[in-house]
Amino acid sequence: MNKQAFFLGCVIPLRFPGIEVAARRVFRQLGIDCVDLEGYSCCPEPVVLGLTDREMALAMSARNLALAEKAGADLIVLCNGCYETLAEADHVLRHDEPMKARVAELLASIGARYEGKIRIKHFIEFLHDDVGLERITKAITRPVDVSLALHYGCHLFRETTHPDTWRKPRMMKSLVEAMGARCVDYGLEQLCCGFPISQFDKNAALKERLLPKLKAVSTTNAEALAFCCPACLNQFETGQGGVGDLGVDVARYPCVHVLELLALSLGMPAAELRLDFRSGSTKEFFECFWG
Amino acid sequence: MTSEAIRRLLEQRLTKARLASGGKDQRRVSVELDAGDIGEAVRALPQDGRSRFVTIVAVDKGLDIELLYSFSLDGVLVTLRTSVQKETSTIDTITPMVPGAAFIEKEISELFGVEFAGHVRRANLVLPDDWPTGKRPMRKPLVGDVIPQARASVENLLSGGTSIRVGPSSAVKREKAGLSKVPPLVSTNDDQMQEFKDLLARTGFDKRAGFDWKKGKLRYK
């Protein structure tokens, strides 16, 4: 049986280190020994970079997978985008013979190889399936007594082996509810946050994606938005200010990551999350509920 | 000479060139070479009058200007293919060996901005005399395959292994959070970083993207 390694990605360790702290704390507290994947690179990012050059993107992903396989580690991926990139690369390398041969040749040029012996799991599905909700619930000491609107993120719906694209989003909801939170329905849970569009047209992303979601959430009693993707979280946390600049009056919400909530519910002090790096409303939310 | 004989001759005489096979068309030979070897390549063709100069075709490829020198040799079209980077846009003239190339070199020079070093004509040949200096009507802006929205990410990726730059502010944040200053990225190990760069170079992405490894930047903004 393989050990586990975190695939940290770029955004969490470089922009939201508090989420990395939370991840390490959660897994340690649940008794899961996760090592670091030494020498990893960008996954690479699936939208802009992934579409820039397919061969480059697959080679880079395959290198990351090869590193994990050499270390004898399954990957627990903390970011939705990284999960999609790595899971899809693994799928291509198992089923697309010409591309598999080409990538094998490229890896061989640096003395690496990938044989598809590892599992790639989103942290949501690892916690749900491998750890189990019962074990998590038993470990919780400070239930999350808040009403949350969930934003799943587009890449959480990606499946390479299961036909049910709602499989992981349902897991996220179950996990959040296991922490004691109430998940409110707002009808636009599946709508994209607009991050890819914002690379081309910031205003369109705000008007066509963020604003409809915020308006829908504002019809509920949600106290915050919960995410499992750092890019989506960043889009909302920074984008809500942009919506204000458009002159639109809509409620603004604190943006929290599932791992942050889980770490707090397992007893981690809020100060260890380094909330001074986050938006004012998010910081106030955490301090209000967890001191 | 048959195309096969021409290929063998050029393979013997041009050790640095890359000869493409004729494929289905047995009356074509294509030779790929560096711009600095164009003179040697022209001299490698038989000099007994059978190598008839046809033309030079210029193709603006975005980052470089491709130049295709065509010669007819015993009914076989021999094409010497080379490129000049737009930043320098210079190649030696072949007019000392092929005086008939004077017209087309001047036309390419005026329309695409390629300087054929040693070409003697100064005045415009195809453009009006009062045409603005430096304005090349057939020359497109310097640009590669990477869309503007991806350029910063590509530069960060190729120079450091991540799409987001690992900078001092992230190190400060991480230290304050009780983490290592830098996550265990490929950039923290010189050998692994070199392997990573080698891997990307083997995909040819650096060339398609127009990445300058020395400067750590794309050749265009």
Side-chain angles (χ1 to χ4, degrees):
Chain A
M1 189 173 163
N2 287 336
K3 57 189 173 193
Q4 323 297 327
F6 282 129
F7 191 87
L8 297 171
C10 302
V11 179
I12 286 177
L14 299 176
R15 294 241 170 100
F16 297 104
I19 297 175
E20 181 183 333
V21 171
R24 292 183 186 279
R25 179 70 173 249
V26 164
F27 280 80
R28 191 169 61 241
Q29 200 145 329
L30 292 173
I32 311 295
D33 187 21
C34 277
V35 299
D36 280 333
L37 187 65
E38 298 287 341
Y40 78 98
S41 73
C42 186
C43 50
E45 179 271 321
V47 177
V48 178
L49 284 178
L51 295 173
T52 293
D53 194 290
R54 187 169 186 246
E55 191 174 284
M56 173 275 289
L58 270 172
M60 207 177 295
S61 295
R63 180 186 168 276
N64 282 320
L65 296 175
L67 279 176
E69 193 170 85
K70 189 175 177 185
D74 292 335
L75 283 177
I76 297 177
V77 188
L78 300 188
C79 164
N80 284 13
C82 298
Y83 170 78
E84 171 172 323
T85 298
L86 295 171
E88 288 199 355
D90 178 65
H91 185 76
V92 167
L93 296 175
R94 288 173 194 271
H95 297 100
D96 184 333
E97 288 301 324
M99 191 50 79
K100 182 179 168 183
R102 173 61 182 148
V103 170
E105 184 191 342
L106 289 167
L107 287 180
S109 73
I110 57 165
R113 61 193 293 174
Y114 179 62
E115 294 177 345
K117 292 179 182 172
I118 62 166
R119 297 183 312 164
I120 298 115
K121 282 205 160 184
H122 192 287
F123 78 87
I124 291 280
E125 66 180 323
F126 185 87
L127 288 172
H128 186 276
D129 286 351
D130 294 66
V131 177
L133 294 179
E134 194 180 328
R135 190 165 146 200
I136 291 171
T137 307
K138 277 186 186 164
I140 288 170
T141 55
R142 298 164 75 186
V144 176
D145 184 21
V146 292
S147 296
L148 297 170
L150 304 188
H151 172 82
Y152 301 116
C154 299
H155 303 293
L156 196 66
F157 290 87
R158 299 290 188 262
E159 290 286 347
T160 55
T161 52
H162 289 261
D164 181 8
T165 58
W166 275 92
R167 187 179 70 99
K168 290 195 293 295
R170 278 199 300 272
M171 288 179 182
M172 177 178 165
K173 190 172 183 185
S174 298
L175 192 59
V176 170
E177 286 173 342
M179 292 184 228
R182 295 170 295 281
C183 296
V184 300
D185 294 328
Y186 58 95
L188 289 180
E189 285 83 347
Q190 205 173 352
L191 187 64
C192 176
C193 66
F195 168 73
I197 302 172
S198 69
Q199 306 304 297
F200 299 87
D201 188 334
K202 276 192 164 47
N203 279 352
L206 295 178
K207 284 182 191 169
E208 305 298 327
R209 295 290 178 266
L210 215 70
L211 187 54
K213 291 200 73 134
L214 290 172
K215 281 183 174 173
V217 171
S218 69
T219 65
T220 72
N221 62 348
E223 294 165 274
L225 299 164
F227 303 84
C228 64
C229 171
C232 299
L233 188 154
N234 189 53
Q235 179 70 1
F236 271 85
E237 200 162 76
T238 57
Q240 287 184 92
V243 165
D245 292 342
L246 291 175
V248 178
D249 187 21
V250 71
R252 296 192 196 186
Y253 293 90
C255 300
V256 300
H257 194 279
V258 167
L259 285 168
E260 290 172 324
L261 288 174
L262 188 51
L264 292 168
S265 71
L266 292 174
M268 178 178 173
E272 291 182 23
L273 289 175
R274 296 310 312 201
L275 299 161
D276 44 337
F277 302 143
R278 302 288 293 280
S279 73
S281 62
T282 298
K283 190 174 167 219
E284 279 169 25
F285 172 79
F286 277 112
E287 285 172 351
C288 177
F289 283 94
W290 289 280
Chain B
M1 288 175 83
T2 61
S3 61
E4 192 48 43
I6 294 169
R7 287 188 77 250
R8 282 198 301 271
L9 175 74
L10 293 176
E11 261 172 358
Q12 276 178 338
R13 293 182 177 181
L14 301 173
T15 52
K16 289 186 288 181
R18 299 163 292 283
L19 273 86
S21 67
K24 287 182 182 168
D25 191 338
Q26 295 302 308
R27 294 195 303 157
R28 299 194 76 143
V29 172
S30 182
V31 184
E32 224 175 279
L33 43 92
D34 294 334
D37 297 328
I38 189 64
E40 183 190 353
V42 171
R43 284 189 294 275
L45 295 168
Q47 302 294 306
D48 54 5
R50 288 182 296 151
S51 306
R52 182 173 67 83
F53 173 70
V54 179
T55 191
I56 308 171
V57 173
V59 183
D60 190 323
K61 303 284 259 199
L63 290 169
D64 308 319
I65 294 184
E66 189 176 33
L67 298 167
L68 301 120
Y69 295 69
S70 292
F71 292 81
S72 173
L73 172 54
D74 292 345
V76 175
L77 190 69
V78 179
T79 304
L80 309 175
R81 307 172 72 104
T82 189
S83 290
V84 292
Q85 288 198 338
K86 278 189 180 171
E87 294 92 320
T88 50
S89 294
T90 301
I91 190 167
D92 287 339
T93 179
I94 61 169
T95 49
M97 297 165 279
V98 186
F103 183 101
I104 190 63
E105 282 188 355
K106 195 69 180 71
E107 185 178 51
I108 290 171
S109 177
E110 288 175 33
L111 298 182
F112 287 89
V114 176
E115 187 197 334
F116 289 86
H119 195 289
V120 297
R121 188 182 170 103
R122 297 281 178 229
N124 280 350
L125 185 66
V126 295
L127 290 174
D129 291 340
D130 59 353
W131 188 264
T133 308
K135 202 170 167 66
R136 305 300 173 190
M138 299 285 287
R139 185 179 173 115
K140 293 183 271 193
L142 175 68
V143 71
D145 282 356
V146 182
I147 60 172
Q149 292 81 7
R151 285 174 194 169
S153 294
V154 166
E155 286 184 343
N156 292 335
L157 192 68
L158 287 169
S159 53
T162 51
S163 56
I164 301 173
R165 204 173 69 88
V166 181
S169 65
S170 59
V172 165
K173 278 186 185 179
R174 288 183 62 80
E175 257 195 323
K176 283 187 176 179
L179 298 166
S180 57
K181 273 190 187 177
V182 183
L185 289 163
V186 61
S187 52
T188 58
N189 181 298
D190 289 345
D191 290 340
Q192 283 189 314
M193 193 64 212
Q194 189 55 54
E195 267 183 6
F196 176 78
K197 288 178 177 178
D198 290 344
L199 177 68
L200 291 183
R202 283 195 181 271
T203 67
F205 174 63
D206 56 334
K207 289 198 170 42
R208 291 191 291 277
F211 187 73
D212 184 328
W213 288 105
K214 282 185 192 156
K215 291 182 182 172
K217 288 188 169 304
L218 292 171
R219 288 163 53 193
Y220 48 101
K221 292 206 188 303

